[in-house]
Amino acid sequence: MNSGGRSMYTSSFIQNEFINTFGHLIQSQIVRNVRKFIFYSVLADETTDNSQVEQFSLCLQYVEDQSYKIREDFLTFVPVYEVTGAGFGNTVLETLSILGLDLKKMRGQGYDGAAMMRGQFRGVQASIKEKLPLTLYTHCASHSLKLCLSGASNIPSIRNCMGVIKEVCRFFHISAKRTEINDI
């Protein structure tokens, strides 16, 4: 309002402020959606970012009541300071509580196959199940698929087939006819 129309909003500070603001708006909308439904599940995966900070991505899965559509929404990245099953489990539960989700509605948890995540006695799933006994652990299907594909990609004929499928998808994606149909 004070710039007289000369503002470009191109500084990294302003752009990061826009990104953070929109991120918080999207996150709060996801939380509002999940609160409406009876149950939800948590999907988490940990990694190290470029600045060598251990963190995990947190996603929620839930079923919409009327359409029975399964939704999977990314919620946030959370830094992890205690890299143990109990520490990670506490961080997941604290994050969900801070965001305003009812932990009693959590019925599922999905992680990769790492021992820290899936461990029956000291893993994340055991830590959470101890506090919330109704949460069922399942190995993340996406991780299972990734493991299958990475193992199969060592076989040349399968690797070539995957390349052909990728090119066919790309062809249809950039197809003028498909674009014309989508514009109607």
Side-chain angles (χ1 to χ4, degrees):
M1 287 197 283
N2 299 330
S3 70
R6 293 183 307 240
S7 295
M8 301 287 288
Y9 303 107
T10 56
S11 75
S12 60
F13 176 80
I14 295 296
Q15 289 180 359
N16 286 334
E17 196 170 316
F18 280 142
I19 291 168
N20 288 332
T21 300
F22 292 139
H24 288 296
L25 289 171
I26 293 168
Q27 183 183 67
S28 61
Q29 182 61 48
I30 292 169
V31 170
R32 271 195 301 277
N33 287 345
V34 173
R35 281 188 197 147
K36 287 189 246 176
F37 303 112
I38 300 172
F39 303 118
Y40 67 90
S41 293
V42 171
L43 299 173
D45 192 14
E46 58 89 26
T47 187
T48 304
D49 70 6
N50 287 346
S51 60
Q52 301 304 311
V53 173
E54 194 77 23
Q55 65 179 355
F56 69 88
S57 60
L58 185 62
C59 297
L60 296 178
Q61 261 187 345
Y62 55 98
V63 179
E64 292 181 339
D65 283 341
Q66 284 85 21
S67 66
Y68 297 106
K69 181 179 176 186
I70 298 173
R71 294 289 312 240
E72 184 175 312
D73 293 325
F74 169 77
L75 200 56
T76 189
F77 287 112
V78 180
V80 178
Y81 301 106
E82 187 182 340
V83 189
T84 64
F88 194 95
N90 289 335
T91 304
V92 168
L93 296 177
E94 285 173 21
T95 302
L96 294 172
S97 290
I98 289 168
L99 291 171
L101 290 165
D102 184 359
L103 296 179
K104 293 176 185 170
K105 290 184 174 184
M106 186 171 142
R107 289 296 185 269
Q109 48 180 327
Y111 314 110
D112 62 11
M116 182 190 78
M117 303 300 261
R118 68 171 166 75
Q120 280 185 313
F121 303 107
R122 293 189 308 202
V124 176
Q125 69 100 8
S127 171
I128 290 177
K129 195 162 186 76
E130 183 180 305
K131 295 171 182 122
L132 302 167
L134 297 176
T135 58
L136 177 67
Y137 164 72
T138 54
H139 188 161
C140 179
S142 296
H143 281 95
S144 297
L145 178 61
K146 180 183 171 206
L147 292 172
C148 289
L149 291 176
S150 66
S153 68
N154 294 331
I155 302 168
S157 59
I158 293 176
R159 186 176 54 239
N160 293 340
C161 176
M162 298 295 273
V164 169
I165 291 171
K166 181 179 172 184
E167 288 301 314
V168 168
C169 290
R170 190 173 148 275
F171 172 78
F172 284 109
H173 181 73
I174 61 172
S175 160
K177 292 231 184 238
R178 185 200 61 83
T179 306
E180 182 181 305
I181 291 170
N182 284 344
D183 289 341
I184 294 176

